[in-house]
Amino acid sequence: MENQKKVKIGIKAKKYHAFDLGNDSIIVECKSQTWTESGNAPSAKIKNWSDAMFSFYLAPGKYKKLFFVEMSYNQKYCKTLLEYFIEHYFYLIPSDVLLIDYYTDNNNFEVYAYNEKEKMHVRQEKDYLWNYLR
């Protein structure tokens, strides 16, 4: 993949948006945010994530869309920041975006895909990612 894949997005008028990574079939946004020192969700960073979701929504449907997040776990909420985002902002996440919570400590990850019955993204088996990318 090449860095900064520029894709025309927009409602009626179109403008180029530079996604973090991509090629002719995949676009990726990568985020590395953590909870605040007091253990709360970082509202300014969450807004940034919501903006990324809108960019994915406006991107052409021909692309596979990945939102890749470095895992940040919170003992207070017993969840990662991505799980918090899904729980509180599920209505902003386009159904065609695959969410990945990457654990840098052990090179592991969790995958979340849209579930029609639940009307939100839910955890999937890891094979889901590889099947999605085929």
Side-chain angles (χ1 to χ4, degrees):
M1 284 203 233
E2 55 196 83
N3 287 339
Q4 295 261 300
K5 174 65 178 174
K6 292 184 179 177
V7 175
K8 277 191 173 183
I9 65 170
I11 296 170
K12 292 249 185 215
K14 307 288 183 190
K15 179 181 178 183
Y16 278 103
H17 173 78
F19 288 90
D20 292 330
L21 298 167
N23 59 28
D24 290 338
S25 61
I26 301 170
I27 50 178
V28 181
E29 281 292 316
C30 302
K31 303 295 178 194
S32 178
Q33 275 91 34
T34 59
W35 297 86
T36 65
E37 283 186 31
S38 58
N40 295 317
S43 58
K45 301 300 182 185
I46 293 295
K47 183 192 177 310
N48 183 269
W49 289 19
S50 298
D51 290 347
M53 293 302 129
F54 192 54
S55 294
F56 278 133
Y57 177 74
L58 296 173
K62 73 174 190 170
Y63 290 101
K64 292 181 179 180
K65 303 165 184 177
L66 300 175
F67 187 65
F68 194 89
V69 176
E70 184 179 4
M71 186 277 294
S72 177
Y73 187 78
N74 183 306
Q75 295 288 345
K76 179 175 151 183
Y77 291 107
C78 296
K79 61 184 66 174
T80 69
L81 193 54
L82 182 59
E83 290 171 325
Y84 176 89
F85 182 73
I86 293 168
E87 182 179 305
H88 290 88
Y89 300 93
F90 62 91
Y91 59 95
L92 297 177
I93 306 170
S95 60
D96 62 344
V97 174
L98 200 65
L99 309 171
I100 301 160
D101 215 353
Y102 179 69
Y103 307 129
T104 55
D105 290 345
N106 61 7
N107 292 323
N108 203 354
F109 62 94
E110 294 294 339
V111 177
Y112 299 84
Y114 186 77
N115 179 288
E116 188 63 43
K117 183 179 175 188
E118 300 289 328
K119 301 288 185 212
M120 66 186 305
H121 284 69
V122 297
R123 185 176 290 144
Q124 304 291 324
E125 296 294 323
K126 289 182 177 48
D127 287 346
Y128 191 96
L129 173 62
W130 311 122
N131 293 330
Y132 176 81
L133 292 173
R134 287 184 195 176

